[in-house]
Amino acid sequence: MIVLAIISMAFASSFVPVCICLLIIIAIKKKSKLLLLFILVSLFTSCLFLFVNKLSTPSYTPGDFSGSCQIVNDLKIDGDSFQATVRCSKEKFQLNYRIATEKEQNNLKQLQYGQFISVSGSLKSPQVNRNQNQFNYKEYLQRQGINYILKTTTLQITQKTTPSLLMRIQNVRLKLINHLTENISSKISPYCLALITGDKNGFSMDIYEAYQQMGVVHLLAISGLHVNLLIAAIYFLLLRIGVTRERTVLFLLVFLPLYAVLTGANAPVIRAATMTGLLLLSEKFVTKWSSFSIICISFILFFIIQPYVIYEVGFQLSYAVSFGIILSSRGILAKLQHPLSKSLAISFVSTMMSSIVMMYHFYSFSWVGIFFNLLSFISSTLLIIPEKLLTFFIQIIENVTNLFAKIPHQTIVTGRPTTTVLILLVIIVLLLFHQWQKKSFPVVLLICFACLCYLSTFNFNGKVSFIDVGQGDSILIQLPRNQGNYLIDTGGQLPFVKEEWAIKKKPFTIGGSTLTPVLESKGISKLDKVIITHSDADHMEGLDDLQKNIAIKELIFAKGAENKDIMKKALDSMPNIKQTIILAGAKWQVGDSTFECLYPNQEGEGGNNDSIVLKAKLDDKIWLFTGDLEASGEQAILNKEIKADILKVGHHGSKTSTSKAFIQKVKPALAIISCGVDNRFGHPHEETLKTLEKENVPILRTDLAGEISYTFGKGFQTTIK
């Protein structure tokens, strides 16, 4: 159980002293020299690594780049996107390239690790997270020793070279992936790719999201159980055909690292391979080590070689679950005799041990995973089943998966817990397993765990968040004490028609890739009202993906907005959601918060000047949300009471909005502009910025500050400082 405290060191810097103290207390109390050594070595390695890392500086600076690079890792072609980690003069870059033609795509598919390519383009610093709790791509790359993205405009394949042994193994994996993709039925090949090579890119979006929603996506990856079964099979097969035990052990010690690279070198495989290797060594050379000793030693070795691995989700989940099962084996699991009850207990331990990691990284976990984890053993034996039977079995599994995915409330959305809640969750889990080991199952502690999960989602203070959805609008209003969650617009992007070869397997979408994760990170699984100001793609295209992941109680739009095709399709796709059509004069109130629609006055066509203008009183301040209202629309409401403290500037700061007369009537204390970084429209326009500056109105912009959030009673905060 101590692993949760160890892993939490990766979660928040303020949590590290608590973890260290907790581990040292456990080590002294248990008189465990190994655990104490484990702590000291980990701390020493961390300090040494951080010291060396601070001294290292990149050899290049952002700007134009032209030269020859060697492909060393993460070679991937997805539609018209080519990506790879390349090395140039001993420095690594993340290369991104847009493929122009299908012929070029086929040529690039022949590339292998170790080959050189001649490229020209520009070096750019990776983006940090632009919304709170969002994935920080810059940190992710830096942990792999990559400081810049090489945005490539031209790419040519140059000479071949003799690759290293590691690259040769990686090339064997590439060939194996291509063979499985091209020569096995599309129904089976994704599972073969996942369980043989560790590549999960073959799954369709629907089935992958269904597994992900239930928190059992790890069943689609090579796990420690798969490795253990494979090694056991090879071990007994070699002994059976007459190979001596010593030679069998030696063969496996050589095979294990090669196998780890061949399967993608993900953290669970490396952990299982390292532990299996240590177990073989302990039997051959020294006194047999316990499972606990072996997992501690493997952790130390892993951490010394690659300290940043502690931040990887796969690493955290693998060690969390393994520690939990090992520490439960002598007490909790030993008391259970029936295979089914023992399997359920192991699955429950795995789910509880992984739940906090899942909450932190994915903002949710699924109780259905307790039952679906039983499939991990079945998935380990899938590959020995004949093809026809395998296809039938996979069809059953996918049908059951889709069925379970539709169960209400099977996923518990918690948001990202605060440091305090994280500490409490760790303590509750520690106490739960400690009491279960000594007595009967502690139901009270499980209830406390559930209450903490709910507490993580509870919004004591109200918030208003201007989410950075690029070139678009999306504003989240969270009323205090969970009185309601409202979303004004969902953002979106204009769809671009591509040829079939150029379409990505998992395309980026505003609703699914940005908006949904941001809302879930705030603990939101249900929206009381979604208000679509008007029927433009950058304000509502994300609605389709949003309603697939977040429950929507009521959809509000202006009369006439349904005349546009994009709104018609959206309404047809959500017939069970309450639809409310409003015009000027519509009002509602929740507690001390009030909302009033000021515009439009009559039915429109869903264009910019038909945008809903919403006036709200939140935290004793007046807010004016104007959608894409332009100057003529602003003129129509000058005769109304529109004075406001905070103005959401219309149409992303376009010069066709925010007239001088309008600003002088509103007299805002602050203006907020939602627009995309380096957007092709040139928003916000210089003329609009000058209008605001002349009226002494401070400005906050999402393209410069990322997500802009206001907490009741505390004020504004930006994601990018």
Side-chain angles (χ1 to χ4, degrees):
M1 268 42 80
I2 57 169
V3 70
L4 285 177
I6 299 169
I7 288 174
S8 297
M9 294 169 68
F11 291 171
S13 58
S14 59
F15 203 12
V16 173
V18 178
C19 297
I20 295 172
C21 294
L22 179 61
L23 289 171
I24 292 175
I25 291 170
I26 294 174
I28 295 173
K29 186 175 180 180
K30 296 288 185 181
K31 298 180 180 180
S32 173
K33 295 180 180 178
L34 180 63
L35 180 57
L36 191 58
L37 176 65
F38 170 76
I39 299 166
L40 295 176
V41 170
S42 299
L43 288 174
F44 173 76
T45 307
S46 300
C47 295
L48 180 64
F49 182 82
L50 290 173
F51 175 74
V52 173
N53 191 53
K54 285 186 179 295
L55 293 179
S56 63
T57 54
S59 306
Y60 291 83
T61 56
D64 293 338
F65 176 90
S66 180
S68 181
C69 302
Q70 186 181 31
I71 300 173
V72 296
N73 204 1
D74 293 333
L75 175 60
K76 184 171 68 173
I77 296 174
D78 184 12
D80 61 355
S81 171
F82 174 84
Q83 295 181 327
T85 301
V86 298
R87 184 186 292 120
C88 182
S89 301
K90 298 183 179 181
E91 182 153 349
K92 292 194 296 183
F93 301 130
Q94 174 62 42
L95 183 146
N96 294 340
Y97 175 66
R98 178 67 59 83
I99 303 171
T101 65
E102 186 175 8
K103 181 180 178 181
E104 185 182 25
Q105 183 196 60
N106 292 328
N107 290 335
L108 292 175
K109 284 182 178 178
Q110 306 306 314
L111 282 171
Q112 294 185 338
Y113 293 108
Q115 279 190 254
F116 282 85
I117 53 177
S118 178
V119 301
S120 62
S122 59
L123 292 176
K124 295 188 175 182
S125 296
Q127 282 282 357
V128 297
N129 56 303
R130 302 192 59 82
N131 291 291
Q132 293 179 12
N133 301 324
Q134 200 174 26
F135 177 70
N136 191 322
Y137 190 51
K138 184 175 183 178
E139 284 187 357
Y140 170 77
L141 290 180
Q142 286 180 339
R143 289 165 187 164
Q144 300 179 63
I146 300 172
N147 293 297
Y148 297 112
I149 293 175
L150 176 51
K151 192 173 180 60
T152 306
T153 53
T154 63
L155 184 154
Q156 290 183 334
I157 302 172
T158 56
Q159 81 275 16
K160 291 187 177 181
T161 185
T162 303
S164 64
L165 176 61
L166 178 62
M167 289 180 181
R168 289 181 181 181
I169 300 172
Q170 289 176 304
N171 287 332
V172 171
R173 180 172 180 262
L174 271 181
K175 291 179 180 178
L176 185 57
I177 290 173
N178 292 333
H179 175 78
L180 292 173
T181 303
E182 296 171 2
N183 297 286
I184 298 180
S185 71
S186 58
K187 195 69 176 177
I188 298 175
S189 62
Y191 293 88
C192 292
L193 285 170
L195 298 177
I196 294 177
T197 67
D199 184 358
K200 294 183 286 188
N201 293 317
F203 290 97
S204 67
M205 283 292 291
D206 291 339
I207 191 64
Y208 190 83
E209 287 176 355
Y211 281 110
Q212 194 173 44
Q213 185 179 349
M214 293 188 297
V216 293
V217 73
H218 58 279
L219 298 181
L220 306 180
I222 300 171
S223 66
L225 178 59
H226 299 97
V227 177
N228 293 334
L229 287 174
L230 176 63
I231 297 304
I234 295 174
Y235 184 84
F236 287 111
L237 179 62
L238 291 177
L239 292 180
R240 191 68 180 267
I241 63 176
V243 181
T244 63
R245 189 180 298 272
E246 289 75 14
R247 290 184 178 179
T248 299
V249 170
L250 182 61
F251 171 80
L252 290 175
L253 289 174
V254 175
F255 172 77
L256 279 167
L258 298 178
Y259 175 74
V261 176
L262 189 63
T263 54
N266 61 68
V269 174
I270 294 177
R271 177 200 59 75
T274 305
M275 290 183 64
T276 303
L278 289 171
L279 181 62
L280 293 170
L281 285 172
S282 71
E283 291 182 352
K284 184 174 177 63
F285 298 111
V286 297
T287 305
K288 188 174 181 179
W289 290 325
S290 66
S291 298
F292 181 76
S293 301
I294 287 174
I295 197 171
C296 285
I297 294 171
S298 74
F299 185 101
I300 292 171
L301 292 174
F302 210 154
F303 191 61
I304 289 174
I305 295 170
Q306 191 180 354
Y308 276 143
V309 75
I310 195 171
Y311 290 96
E312 291 186 12
V313 181
F315 174 88
Q316 296 174 7
L317 286 171
S318 181
Y319 273 94
V321 173
S322 299
F323 262 114
I325 292 174
I326 287 172
L327 295 178
S328 301
S329 59
R330 294 182 181 179
I332 297 170
L333 302 180
K335 294 188 295 184
L336 302 172
Q337 301 300 321
H338 195 280
L340 180 59
S341 60
K342 183 168 287 191
S343 298
L344 282 171
I346 292 173
S347 187
F348 178 80
V349 169
S350 301
T351 301
M352 292 300 294
M353 293 299 288
S354 62
S355 61
I356 299 178
V357 180
M358 296 294 291
M359 289 182 213
Y360 185 84
H361 290 286
F362 303 111
Y363 325 121
S364 64
F365 72 97
S366 174
W367 57 266
V368 177
I370 296 172
F371 304 100
F372 259 74
N373 277 324
L374 296 175
L375 294 177
S376 58
F377 178 79
I378 299 174
S379 67
S380 305
T381 60
L382 280 178
L383 303 180
I384 62 174
I385 300 175
E387 183 173 342
K388 288 185 178 180
L389 184 59
L390 179 57
T391 303
F392 175 72
F393 181 78
I394 287 174
Q395 188 63 55
I396 293 175
I397 290 293
E398 291 186 354
N399 289 338
V400 172
T401 300
N402 289 322
L403 182 64
F404 270 78
K406 295 176 182 177
I407 296 176
H409 311 298
Q410 54 89 12
T411 298
I412 302 171
V413 176
T414 62
R416 175 166 287 180
T418 63
T419 301
T420 302
V421 174
L422 274 175
I423 295 173
L424 292 174
L425 285 169
V426 169
I427 293 172
I428 289 293
V429 171
L430 288 171
L431 290 174
L432 189 150
F433 285 109
H434 182 266
Q435 292 298 316
W436 189 11
Q437 191 163 346
K438 290 189 172 183
K439 303 175 183 178
S440 59
F441 185 81
V443 178
V444 174
L445 287 173
L446 187 61
I447 294 173
C448 291
F449 179 87
C451 290
L452 278 175
C453 291
Y454 173 73
L455 183 67
S456 181
T457 69
F458 195 84
N459 179 35
F460 291 95
N461 299 312
K463 292 182 180 179
V464 180
S465 303
F466 295 81
I467 301 170
D468 186 349
V469 290
Q471 184 61 19
D473 275 10
S474 188
I475 304 159
L476 174 67
I477 300 173
Q478 297 171 271
L479 299 181
R481 299 180 299 281
N482 279 19
Q483 291 177 327
N485 295 316
Y486 304 154
L487 187 70
I488 303 175
D489 291 329
T490 65
Q493 54 191 356
L494 291 171
F496 293 97
V497 179
K498 291 184 177 182
E499 295 180 50
E500 187 176 351
W501 68 267
I503 299 173
K504 295 182 180 180
K505 291 180 181 177
K506 298 175 183 176
F508 173 87
T509 64
I510 294 296
S513 306
T514 299
L515 186 57
T516 297
V518 168
L519 294 180
E520 289 182 341
S521 76
K522 300 176 186 297
I524 293 174
S525 59
K526 178 189 69 175
L527 289 166
D528 297 277
K529 298 180 188 294
V530 173
I531 303 158
I532 301 298
T533 58
H534 65 293
S535 304
D536 278 357
D538 59 335
H539 288 254
M540 66 161 295
E541 189 266 341
L543 180 60
D544 184 50
D545 283 324
L546 178 69
Q547 60 97 13
K548 292 176 183 176
N549 299 282
I550 305 288
I552 299 174
K553 292 182 66 175
E554 183 181 10
L555 180 68
I556 298 175
F557 54 93
K559 191 173 183 180
E562 70 278 8
N563 293 327
K564 275 195 172 183
D565 287 341
I566 187 172
M567 179 62 86
K568 287 179 182 178
K569 292 178 181 178
L571 296 178
D572 290 341
S573 67
M574 48 184 77
N576 298 322
I577 295 176
K578 180 183 177 183
Q579 300 172 7
T580 303
I581 301 174
I582 64 173
L583 287 173
K587 298 179 181 179
W588 71 88
Q589 180 172 352
V590 180
D592 296 330
S593 304
T594 61
F595 300 84
E596 180 183 1
C597 176
L598 301 181
Y599 186 87
N601 299 310
Q602 59 188 10
E603 180 177 351
E605 297 179 354
N608 288 349
N609 267 329
D610 300 316
S611 294
I612 290 176
V613 175
L614 195 66
K615 179 181 177 182
K617 182 182 178 184
L618 304 166
D619 194 31
D620 292 327
K621 290 180 171 56
I622 303 300
W623 301 66
L624 197 63
F625 305 100
T626 60
D628 272 0
L629 195 69
E630 298 185 339
S632 58
E634 293 172 352
Q635 185 69 30
I637 58 173
L638 286 179
N639 61 341
K640 297 185 179 182
E641 180 52 55
I642 56 174
K643 187 178 185 306
D645 299 292
I646 295 96
L647 169 68
K648 202 292 293 184
V649 173
H651 202 191
H652 321 290
S654 164
K655 67 177 181 179
T656 60
S657 300
T658 321
S659 63
K660 181 179 179 181
F662 182 71
I663 293 301
Q664 289 178 340
K665 183 68 184 290
V666 176
K667 296 181 180 178
L670 177 69
I672 297 176
I673 301 175
S674 179
C675 58
V677 178
D678 298 328
N679 64 84
R680 61 192 178 97
F681 303 100
H683 295 157
H685 196 273
E686 190 65 28
E687 184 178 319
T688 300
L689 297 177
K690 287 181 179 179
T691 298
L692 292 168
E693 288 170 3
K694 285 180 181 179
E695 299 300 325
N696 297 316
V697 181
I699 304 168
L700 286 176
R701 296 164 45 178
T702 58
D703 62 329
L704 301 179
E707 179 185 347
I708 301 165
S709 59
Y710 174 87
T711 303
F712 287 21
K714 296 182 180 179
F716 282 93
Q717 179 183 2
T718 59
T719 302
I720 301 174
K721 307 300 181 185

